[in-house]
Amino acid sequence: MSGLGETSPETSQKAGRPARNLDAARLVGHLETMWRIRAFEEAAIRGLKDGLVLGAIHPSIGQEAVATGVCLNLDRADLLLSTHRGHGHTLAKGADAGAMMRELFGRDGGTCGGKGGSMHIADFSVGMLGANGVVGANIPIAVGAAHAIRLRGGSEIVACLFGDGAINRGPFLEGLNWAKVFDLPVLFVCEDNTWSATTRTADLTAGAGAAARAESLGIPAETLDGNDALALDEAARAAVAALRAGSGPRLLHVKTYRLTGHTAADAAPYRDPAEVEAWREKDPIARLAAALADAGIPAERLEAARAGAYAEMEAIYDEARAAPWPPVAGAYADVQDVGHPAQRAF
Amino acid sequence: MAASTTTTYIAASTRALAEEMARDPRVWALGEDLGRGGVFGQYEGLQERFGAARIADTPISEACIMGAAVGAALAGTRPVVEMRFSDFALCATDELVNQAAKARFMFGGQAKVPLVARQPVGMWRSSAAQHSQSLEAWYAHVPGLVVVAPATPADNLGLLKSAIRADDPVVYLEHKGLWPLEGAVPDGEHLTPIGVADVAREGRDLTLVTWSAMRWRCLEAARALAADGVEAEVIDLRTLWPWDRDRVLASVEKTGRLLVVHEAVTVGGFGAEIAAFVAEHLHARLEAPVRRLGAPRIPIAYAPPLENAARVTPDAIASAARAMTAPAAADAS
């Protein structure tokens, strides 16, 4: 199956690319992953209400196309640095959903042994080097990871996702400058969900935003509809190919919307309900499903993607709830080797 | 006795990095002006020898230097970070404290962060408040960090090599006033273990615990005290985390008196940690109250007479020690 780009020719034109050659199996894969992210986060929100998820979680409901569009174009060996809103990125990079849910519940067997929680999920086995609780702090880390790849002669690339709020922090400028100066293989992705915590980012951002700032440093940048999985997949694929060919860093500015509050506990009364409703109409999962239906993918297959995701997350929810707390000795583990806290009791 | 060569504190550090880079291809250094030898010359000749990729000149961008080092460490290399002045490293505090120190723990032990953050510390003439600080206590307070402060050329060789080999993030504090200091340095492989103090001078009457440049002030004070018949033991901790509690306790057990001397501001300084620890463990043995001697809680000034107000001198150390060893002090305790 090919020629799905015909379902949204305006996006293709906007990107200025030739006709697409996207196959159905690939796009159904995107749909399945988007549903898994949606179902995972809905389960996590339920877990919060049930008192099972501890601390804050920051859902990415409505932003799933960004995670799949970028991460499904990466190889497992490629590296990923994510944000405090990183469940979707992490799942799309291939992390184990069950271990992630156990981490959210603070249980033994979580991705970080119950020591990190939602904001510090990491799975180095799939190249996911960490969500980060500090906005923009992942950007210098990403360029350093790329620097290390260069030093050891590796061929992997690094993807660094950050929010629109991050572009007003120094590490954004410092990290992009560094990546360009050293010509490192970093795909910067500004996942612009419109809001910086509870404040509209546009009210706090001078100038034309992420792409313009990248271009001012000589980094090729592209602004995209972040709710169009087809457009994102194609743009990310092209960017990744360019990076692998040695293009140096690139930036994608993807405009999307956070359908929940800043945290799952934030009812977001500061937003205009009409704005939320308008974005709900542009739900990226529904859009991709409609495109696939138009292209002739059977309804049962689309429904199986949805149902399979919810069944999986239901099961991991129950598993996580049944998992034990981590052993308390873990609080003293992995602090440091030299001067380890357990060397001598105080 | 192993063969040794007289060399400077700064040359010892250059040798340490060169030896470790030759030994391990994962070791590299990054920072501002390294190609020209670094701001003090501690990287002299290294870029010619190892190339610009491994002795990397970076933008003036402390946060990104430290953050990149964290990423580079997570991705399998062993970066040595140059911060020029410990004061400038404050621009990279998030990257050091929130990222480097915590990544291993937060991620459940999936990766370690083997980086060395070189932060030259201390007063040197008329450099004023933003180029003179000693902030070691801040880092000793942060779980996950190792804190090292060498005082001799041999220790700067041996401790820097140990720091580079450590799998933890190490805050490595070289004293700017010590760069030209000469001393005997062992030939051949020389590693100084982190966490082991050096007894710079043995004595029976009083223990002076110190580190970095204050080692030399304390030794000078000890010589003056000896002329009065007071024998001070001088312990150079060399590393603040971990610090050699056993050595300090053994010494104070012997002498009954502890004076901690550091260049940093006394309030909230690491001397408070040592004083409290010793008081908790040896209260009954103490023949005088534990004392601390550091700088007043003032920024460091530019004009020499004002700058000197923040300086801990051998006279001040000797004076404090005399007060503690005088018969009246023992009575008061």
Side-chain angles (χ1 to χ4, degrees):
Chain A
M1 175 72 66
S2 64
L4 283 165
E6 289 162 17
T7 58
S8 56
E10 71 288 351
T11 317
S12 183
Q13 275 177 0
K14 192 165 58 184
R17 290 199 193 83
R20 295 194 175 112
N21 183 25
L22 300 176
D23 65 87
R26 174 185 182 83
L27 290 172
V28 170
H30 277 268
L31 186 74
E32 287 170 346
T33 304
M34 288 164 75
W35 273 125
R36 291 181 71 234
I37 296 167
R38 179 72 57 93
F40 179 90
E41 293 201 314
E42 288 181 1
I45 292 168
R46 178 157 61 95
L48 188 77
K49 289 173 179 157
D50 290 347
L52 295 167
V53 168
L54 313 163
I57 54 167
H58 302 77
S60 63
I61 288 173
Q63 306 175 204
E64 294 88 349
V66 184
T68 62
V70 173
C71 295
L72 296 187
N73 281 293
L74 302 175
D75 293 339
R76 174 171 282 228
D78 292 329
L79 302 179
L80 171 70
L81 278 299
S82 180
T83 72
H84 61 285
R85 200 179 303 284
H87 304 146
H89 313 149
T90 309
L91 279 167
K93 190 67 173 72
D96 180 78
M100 287 174 63
M101 191 63 77
R102 286 193 289 277
E103 189 63 32
L104 264 55
F105 286 17
R107 304 303 174 98
D108 201 23
T111 51
C112 304
K115 289 158 78 171
S118 167
M119 284 188 284
H120 306 300
I121 277 179
D123 187 346
F124 281 61
S125 72
V126 298
M128 198 292 185
L129 304 195
N132 207 305
V134 179
V135 170
N138 56 336
I139 299 173
I141 295 174
V143 302
H147 213 129
I149 290 169
R150 169 72 51 80
L151 280 166
R152 56 177 162 78
S155 58
E156 308 94 317
I157 67 165
V158 180
C160 179
L161 289 101
F162 48 85
D164 36 321
I167 73 166
N168 291 324
R169 283 206 66 222
F172 171 79
L173 171 66
E174 296 191 29
L176 264 64
N177 180 64
W178 186 290
K180 184 60 184 174
V181 163
F182 292 105
D183 217 18
L184 296 171
V186 185
L187 177 60
F188 296 106
V189 181
C190 177
E191 184 174 16
D192 181 351
N193 69 10
T194 312
W195 293 89
S196 295
T198 63
T199 304
R200 188 178 294 279
T201 308
D203 294 342
L204 303 171
T205 303
R213 291 181 188 185
E215 284 167 349
S216 78
L217 297 168
I219 295 176
E222 189 175 348
T223 299
L224 295 154
D225 177 350
N227 284 29
D228 182 345
L230 288 156
L232 274 168
D233 180 56
E234 189 173 3
R237 189 160 51 152
V240 166
L243 283 165
R244 292 202 199 285
S247 75
R250 303 176 85 89
L251 182 137
L252 301 178
H253 177 200
V254 294
K255 294 190 164 181
T256 183
Y257 195 78
R258 193 189 72 202
L259 288 172
T260 69
H262 173 55
T263 67
D266 170 21
Y270 44 86
R271 298 191 307 196
D272 179 354
E275 176 182 287
V276 180
E277 200 43 49
W279 278 95
R280 211 178 287 285
E281 294 293 314
K282 294 188 275 189
D283 185 308
I285 300 181
R287 272 173 83 177
L288 179 59
L292 289 168
D294 287 349
I297 305 297
E300 309 84 69
R301 194 166 169 198
L302 300 176
E303 169 56 18
R306 189 198 68 79
Y310 280 95
E312 177 194 358
M313 300 311 162
E314 186 69 24
I316 66 164
Y317 186 94
D318 292 338
E319 287 164 10
R321 179 164 52 190
W325 296 113
V328 174
Y332 292 85
D334 289 316
V335 177
Q336 57 193 112
D337 294 325
V338 180
H340 189 279
Q343 275 184 1
R344 176 167 171 168
F346 281 84
Chain B
M1 189 75 181
S4 66
T5 305
T6 297
T7 190
T8 59
Y9 185 83
I10 194 166
S13 78
T14 313
R15 179 183 147 193
L17 182 55
E19 286 182 5
E20 292 309 298
M21 289 183 69
R23 189 184 66 83
D24 184 347
R26 297 170 302 170
V27 176
W28 62 297
L30 63 162
E32 300 150 14
D33 297 323
L34 299 196
R36 301 260 167 94
V39 66
F40 298 102
Q42 64 274 54
Y43 297 86
E44 203 69 59
L46 294 182
Q47 194 176 67
E48 290 83 349
R49 178 171 170 194
F50 293 104
R54 290 183 71 199
I55 298 288
D57 286 318
T58 68
I60 297 177
S61 189
E62 283 78 12
C64 203
I65 294 167
M66 193 73 79
V70 174
L74 292 174
T77 65
R78 305 180 74 85
V80 175
V81 176
E82 177 56 52
M83 285 281 118
R84 297 168 73 106
F85 294 86
S86 71
D87 316 72
F88 300 174
L90 301 185
C91 299
T93 305
D94 174 70
E95 290 73 15
L96 181 57
V97 173
N98 272 327
Q99 311 296 336
K102 295 174 185 165
R104 177 179 171 188
F105 183 86
M106 290 192 311
F107 301 151
Q110 294 186 67
K112 297 181 179 180
V113 186
L115 70 79
V116 179
R118 294 177 78 177
Q119 305 189 11
V121 295
M123 296 170 69
W124 52 322
R125 184 57 84 191
S126 292
S127 298
Q130 293 176 342
H131 288 73
S132 303
Q133 294 170 93
S134 295
L135 301 173
E136 62 270 22
W138 295 11
Y139 301 109
H141 191 67
V142 178
L145 297 179
V146 176
V147 183
V148 178
T152 71
D155 283 351
N156 206 15
L157 171 68
L159 284 167
L160 186 52
K161 285 166 66 77
S162 292
I164 291 169
R165 296 187 191 191
D167 283 339
D168 300 316
V170 179
V171 179
Y172 196 85
L173 307 168
E174 288 152 296
H175 197 289
K176 299 187 288 285
L178 295 179
W179 290 128
L181 178 78
E182 292 192 329
V185 173
D187 298 334
E189 181 82 313
H190 175 64
L191 289 165
T192 306
I194 292 172
V196 178
D198 180 36
V199 180
R201 185 184 197 282
E202 292 193 17
R204 60 171 190 265
D205 300 322
L206 169 86
T207 300
L208 299 175
V209 172
T210 192
W211 54 89
S212 192
M214 288 298 112
R215 169 192 175 111
W216 306 105
R217 307 287 173 278
C218 285
L219 285 171
E220 198 176 330
R223 284 192 290 274
L225 290 165
D228 300 345
V230 174
E231 290 297 331
E233 182 147 297
V234 178
I235 296 180
D236 173 4
L237 283 185
R238 303 197 282 199
T239 64
L240 300 192
W241 194 266
W243 66 280
D244 195 341
R245 291 160 286 196
D246 293 337
R247 169 60 65 190
V248 171
L249 286 179
S251 177
V252 180
E253 185 95 56
K254 176 174 70 175
T255 64
R257 296 178 180 87
L258 170 66
L259 172 62
V260 188
V261 179
H262 56 61
E263 184 172 323
V265 168
T266 305
V267 175
F270 198 68
E273 170 66 24
I274 297 165
F277 183 84
V278 168
E280 283 166 356
H281 285 77
L282 291 179
H283 177 73
R285 173 68 188 90
L286 292 174
E287 294 177 28
V290 171
R291 284 197 58 180
R292 294 172 284 160
L293 185 61
R297 196 171 180 276
I298 54 175
I300 294 165
Y302 173 77
L306 278 57
E307 183 191 58
N308 286 343
R311 207 176 282 278
V312 175
T313 63
D315 281 352
I317 299 166
S319 173
R322 285 191 188 99
M324 291 173 68
T325 51
D331 294 346
S333 70

